[in-house]
């Protein structure tokens, strides 16, 4: 019955959601090269947001130069225009966007954004845990550049990403406009935009209830800049915050809830901490929270202010970096065994001091002591230590198969996708994907559909999770900003977006993956407002943890969501 409904919704999607997107590769191919009738050799067609250019693969969907969609006020929608040149080189290419005109209101052309889809170095297929080395190189369209193509060579294909921001308070009704493609002043093609604005309003991202937790790696960009000759950037200085603001504003615009904070050297990599540890000559500890405070206040100012996730009593590394006063101020590392007397003593000193500091800042209630993928035995010992230091500490954990008595202690628990969790016993139950899955994921391969990122929020609806977590927003490791291959992991595993380069004036470069994740969160908020029970039948298929047929299920669910929006 469910499959029958899915097929029915897909069949009638152009009516229900007024959607002329073609997200599958099964329709007829591109037309042949024009003859001598004077027609342009450039073909412009909407491909749909789930189509992904990769390698030598061409768009083989039905040719359509008109896009019709149903939207909410304060909404954001996307599509993709594929340009194929079947003639001689086209030069002096420009793009003109018209306003979207309605009966007595106009959506400004400034609300319509065009970005060039750039090919990045990816992988041929997703793999679990580790890719072979060396491995085949495949180029995949994912990065979204503000620079649009200025010419197209014979036989070349280019993709243009189109986003429309519907103004808050936009009067309901029909609006239409176009994207015109020109060479010099000659019109080569025109792609029409037709949207129906409903009476529903999407809240601002800061008011979304979906708990998005994409971990930041705030030391990584300054490190890459320094390693590649771009100069040094003092951490948590004004120069640093000016550099990072546009990057983390993208997080805020997607409703990010959590700040990733490092409370010790070794939280992730050696030499990175927001809290300075000093062992005094008398054996007591002193803690400097200057970097921590500045970073939290910076993120608060962006609107990422719901939770401070503090890494970590134990996790990636169990050592602590500190300054030893009794040895002339030398910087040293102390290796601690979880549950040992020394471990408990050192961390009790920190927790007592940290609580006092957080209380003085008014931050204790939103601070979470977070651990990642510890063993069951380790997490038992850590939770016992934290509880000995206060029942008011909030505890967070990412992992799987944790004993029920410990699970009940978690305020924020993210279980790896497919793992059991009692979501009703957790304040903020999340799921996460990692290098342990091929699908769904944020990988950059020809076999990974961007629809898998939209799928995440629908899976949360189906399983009773309050959000989604993933480990890396900006952990870039390669000097080439468009090389997404991540050591032994499948390409894309280490970051969600890109950067323009390795200089001190680097700017963020968006991605199709990120836009599709954000779109799924919009769907979650719309479903919450309309009533998820009304969407029960289309939500149910997302209970599967392998994201089988993600594009079909996402298209069908969004079609039903749009149908309900106009009732």
């Amino acid at each position: 019955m469910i499959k029958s409904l899915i097929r029915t919704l897909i069949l009638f999607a152009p009516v229900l959601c007024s959607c002329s997107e073609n997200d599958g590769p099964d329709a007829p191919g591109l037309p042949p090269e024009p003859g001598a009738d004077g027609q342009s050799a450039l073909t412009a067609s909407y491909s749909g947001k789930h189509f992904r250019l990769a390698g030598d693969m061409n768009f083989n969907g039905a040719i359509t130069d008109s896009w019709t969609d149903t939207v909410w006020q304060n909404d954001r929608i996307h599509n993709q225009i594929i340009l194929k040149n079947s003639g001689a080189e086209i030069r002096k290419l420009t793009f003109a966007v018209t306003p979207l005109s309605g009966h007595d209101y106009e959506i400004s052309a400034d609300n319509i954004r065009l970005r060039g889809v750039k090919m990045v170095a990816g992988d041929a297929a997703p793999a679990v845990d580790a890719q072979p080395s060396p491995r085949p190189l495949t180029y995949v369209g994912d990065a979204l550049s503000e620079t649009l193509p200025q010419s197209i060579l014979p036989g070349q294909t280019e993709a243009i990403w189109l986003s429309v921001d519907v103004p808050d308070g936009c009067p309901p009704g029909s609006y239409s406009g176009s994207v015109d493609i020109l060479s010099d002043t000659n019109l080569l093609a025109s792609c029409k935009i037709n949207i129906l604005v409903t009476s529903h309003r999407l809240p601002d991202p800061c008011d979304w209830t979906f708990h998005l937790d994409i971990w930041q790696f705030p030391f990584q960009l300054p490190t890459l800049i320094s390693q590649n000759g771009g100069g040094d950037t003092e951490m948590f200085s004004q120069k640093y915050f000016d550099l990072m603001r546009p990057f983390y504003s993208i997080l805020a615009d997607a409703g990010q809830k959590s700040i990733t904070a490092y409370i010790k050297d070794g939280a992730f990599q050696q030499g990175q901490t927001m809290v300075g540890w000093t062992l005094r000559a008398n054996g007591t500890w002193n803690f400097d929270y200057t970097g921590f405070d500045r970073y939290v206040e910076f993120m608060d100012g962006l609107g990422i202010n719901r939770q401070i996730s503090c890494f970590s009593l134990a996790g990636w590394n169990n050592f602590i970096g500190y300054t030893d006063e009794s040895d002339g101020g030398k910087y040293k590392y102390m290796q601690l065994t979880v549950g040992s007397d020394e471990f408990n003593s050192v961390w009790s000193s920190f927790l007592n001091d940290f609580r006092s500091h957080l209380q003085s800042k008014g931050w204790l209630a939103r601070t979470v002591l977070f651990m990642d993928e510890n063993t069951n035995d380790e997490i038992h010992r850590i939770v016992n230590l934290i509880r000995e230091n206060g029942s008011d500490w909030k505890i967070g954990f990412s992992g799987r198969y944790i004993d029920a008595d410990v699970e009940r202690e978690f305020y924020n628990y993210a279980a790896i996708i497919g793992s059991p969790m009692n979501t009703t016993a957790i304040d903020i139950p999340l799921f996460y994907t990692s290098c342990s899955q091929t699908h769904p994921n944020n990988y950059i391969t020809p076999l990974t559909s961007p629809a898998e990122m939209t799928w995440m929020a629908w899976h949360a609806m189906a399983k009773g999770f309050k959000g989604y977590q993933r480990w890396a927003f900006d952990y870039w490791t390669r000097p080439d900003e468009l090389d997404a291959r991540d050591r032994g992991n499948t390409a894309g595993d280490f970051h969600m977006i890109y950067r323009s380069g390795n200089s001190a004036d680097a700017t963020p470069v968006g991605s199709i993956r990120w836009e599709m994740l954000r779109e799924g969160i919009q769907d979650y908020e719309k479903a919450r407002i309309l009533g998820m029970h009304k969407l029960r039948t289309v939500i149910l298929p997302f209970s599967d943890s392998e994201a089988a047929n993600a594009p079909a299920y996402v298209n069908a669910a969004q079609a039903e969501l749009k149908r309900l929006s106009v009732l």
Side-chain angles (χ1 to χ4, degrees):
M1 176 176 170
I2 294 171
K3 290 182 178 179
S4 175
L5 177 61
I6 295 294
R7 285 194 294 269
T8 301
L9 288 171
I10 294 171
L11 178 63
F12 288 98
V15 176
L16 293 177
C17 68
S18 301
C19 181
S20 56
E21 294 183 355
N22 300 288
D23 287 318
D26 302 322
L30 292 166
E33 182 174 344
D37 56 2
Q39 286 185 318
S40 168
L42 182 74
T43 302
S45 177
Y46 285 109
S47 68
K49 59 204 172 194
H50 298 155
F51 174 74
R52 174 174 262 174
L53 283 176
D56 297 327
M57 184 173 64
N58 284 317
F59 171 62
N60 293 316
I63 302 303
T64 176
D65 62 1
S66 183
W67 171 34
T68 305
D69 212 341
T70 301
V71 301
W72 288 28
Q73 300 165 40
N74 209 31
D75 206 347
R76 179 177 298 165
I77 55 173
H78 308 276
N79 209 325
Q80 189 173 210
I81 299 172
I82 301 296
L83 305 178
K84 172 70 175 181
N85 181 15
S86 55
E89 180 181 1
I90 300 173
R91 301 175 181 174
K92 297 182 180 180
L93 201 64
T94 58
F95 300 80
V97 178
T98 71
L100 303 183
S101 298
H103 178 64
D104 54 4
Y105 184 84
E106 188 175 84
I107 298 175
S108 170
D110 292 339
N111 289 61
I112 302 171
R113 185 180 186 187
L114 300 181
R115 286 176 285 180
V117 178
K118 299 301 181 185
M119 306 296 280
V120 302
D123 282 313
V128 173
D129 293 325
Q131 288 274 2
S133 182
R135 59 189 192 255
L137 171 63
T138 301
Y139 284 98
V140 181
D142 186 60
L144 298 179
S145 171
E146 301 297 334
T147 302
L148 298 174
Q150 297 179 345
S151 64
I152 304 182
L153 296 173
Q156 185 177 357
T157 299
E158 292 279 0
I160 306 298
W161 191 259
L162 168 62
S163 303
V164 179
D165 282 326
V166 182
D168 197 1
C170 178
S174 297
Y175 297 82
S176 60
S178 66
V179 177
D180 298 330
I181 301 106
L182 305 96
S183 175
D184 205 352
T185 59
N186 299 315
L187 180 65
L188 302 181
S190 183
C191 292
K192 300 175 181 63
I193 305 171
N194 305 286
I195 63 172
L196 174 64
V197 180
T198 71
S199 59
H200 294 284
R201 177 189 180 271
L202 185 68
D204 293 330
C206 61
D207 296 322
W208 292 351
T209 63
F210 188 90
H211 191 97
L212 181 64
D213 184 9
I214 309 299
W215 293 352
Q216 307 104 58
F217 286 78
F219 289 80
Q220 196 62 18
L221 181 56
T223 299
L224 274 174
I225 291 173
S226 177
Q227 290 174 345
N228 290 279
D232 293 333
T233 303
E234 181 184 351
M235 290 300 299
F236 315 123
S237 64
Q238 188 59 50
K239 179 181 177 182
Y240 169 81
F241 294 132
D242 290 343
L243 172 68
M244 299 307 300
R245 183 172 291 105
F247 289 88
Y248 291 161
S249 292
I250 292 175
L251 268 176
D253 183 57
Q256 171 79 6
K257 297 294 185 286
S258 299
I259 301 169
T260 305
Y262 296 173
I263 56 174
K264 66 157 187 139
D265 184 344
F268 179 58
Q269 287 190 345
Q270 187 171 321
Q272 299 179 355
T273 183
M274 296 177 182
V275 179
W277 292 53
T278 299
L279 182 60
R280 297 189 182 101
N282 63 5
T284 62
W285 288 95
N286 178 69
F287 305 100
D288 181 359
Y289 301 104
T290 303
F292 177 86
D293 292 349
R294 288 177 179 171
Y295 187 70
V296 170
E297 289 164 357
F298 165 69
M299 297 296 276
D300 280 356
L302 298 178
I304 303 174
N305 55 16
R306 198 72 58 88
Q307 179 172 313
I308 308 169
S309 297
C310 297
F311 293 85
S312 181
L313 275 75
W316 294 314
N317 299 295
N318 289 337
F319 61 77
I320 294 173
Y322 68 100
T323 298
D324 189 347
E325 263 190 6
S326 64
D327 195 10
K330 289 183 179 179
Y331 198 80
K332 299 180 177 180
Y333 287 93
M334 175 187 300
Q335 186 70 34
L336 299 174
T337 301
V338 175
S340 67
D341 289 344
E342 186 178 25
F343 179 93
N344 293 342
S345 174
V346 169
W347 279 108
S348 291
S349 296
F350 175 80
L351 290 175
N352 286 333
D353 194 82
F354 193 36
R355 170 191 272 109
S356 297
H357 180 74
L358 292 170
Q359 286 173 332
S360 71
K361 302 290 289 187
W363 295 346
L364 181 61
R366 61 184 174 112
T367 296
V368 180
L369 302 175
F370 225 102
M371 274 66 65
D372 177 41
E373 296 186 344
N374 301 84
T375 66
N376 210 350
D377 177 67
E378 282 183 336
I379 204 66
H380 268 276
R381 294 172 184 270
I382 294 168
V383 167
N384 287 340
L385 170 64
I386 293 171
R387 287 292 167 251
E388 288 173 2
N389 282 274
S391 59
D392 53 347
W393 281 113
K394 290 184 170 71
I395 302 174
F397 180 69
S398 301
R400 69 177 97 189
Y401 305 125
I402 294 298
D403 291 343
D405 61 325
V406 175
E407 184 179 288
R408 286 192 293 268
E409 294 291 333
F410 296 149
Y411 166 78
N412 181 187
Y413 178 24
I416 195 166
I417 189 169
S419 300
M421 179 201 292
N422 180 6
T423 56
T424 61
I426 311 295
D427 288 89
I428 303 178
L430 311 176
F431 78 97
Y432 72 98
T433 54
S434 72
C435 58
S436 300
Q437 302 83 41
T438 54
H439 302 281
N441 230 313
N442 67 318
Y443 292 152
I444 303 170
T445 82
L447 304 181
T448 305
S449 170
E452 294 179 25
M453 298 308 293
T454 308
W455 185 94
M456 302 298 183
W458 287 92
H459 181 68
M461 289 187 237
K463 301 294 287 186
F465 296 112
K466 292 185 178 179
Y468 171 67
Q469 181 187 87
R470 211 180 192 290
W471 86 291
F473 180 69
D474 54 349
Y475 183 53
W476 302 293
T477 60
R478 290 178 175 261
D480 182 351
E481 62 273 13
L482 293 181
D483 190 343
R485 294 171 297 169
D486 299 318
R487 298 177 184 171
N489 295 35
T490 301
D493 186 47
F494 283 20
H495 56 88
M496 289 282 193
I497 64 167
Y498 304 87
R499 66 196 190 281
S500 63
N502 301 312
S503 62
D505 59 354
T507 56
V509 175
S511 73
I512 293 175
R513 296 174 294 150
W514 183 256
E515 295 294 358
M516 291 298 92
L517 175 62
R518 187 186 186 280
E519 181 170 280
I521 299 170
Q522 288 189 153
D523 291 344
Y524 182 100
E525 297 302 317
K526 292 175 183 178
R528 176 183 60 82
I529 292 168
L530 292 175
M532 290 185 188
H533 63 282
K534 298 178 182 178
L535 292 144
R536 185 179 298 112
T537 306
V538 292
I539 289 175
L540 186 58
F542 293 92
S543 299
D544 170 46
S545 61
E546 296 181 358
N549 302 313
Y553 286 140
V554 167
N555 285 340
Q558 289 184 336
E560 179 65 1
L561 188 60
K562 292 170 185 180
R563 186 186 73 84
L564 292 174
S565 297
V566 297
L567 293 180

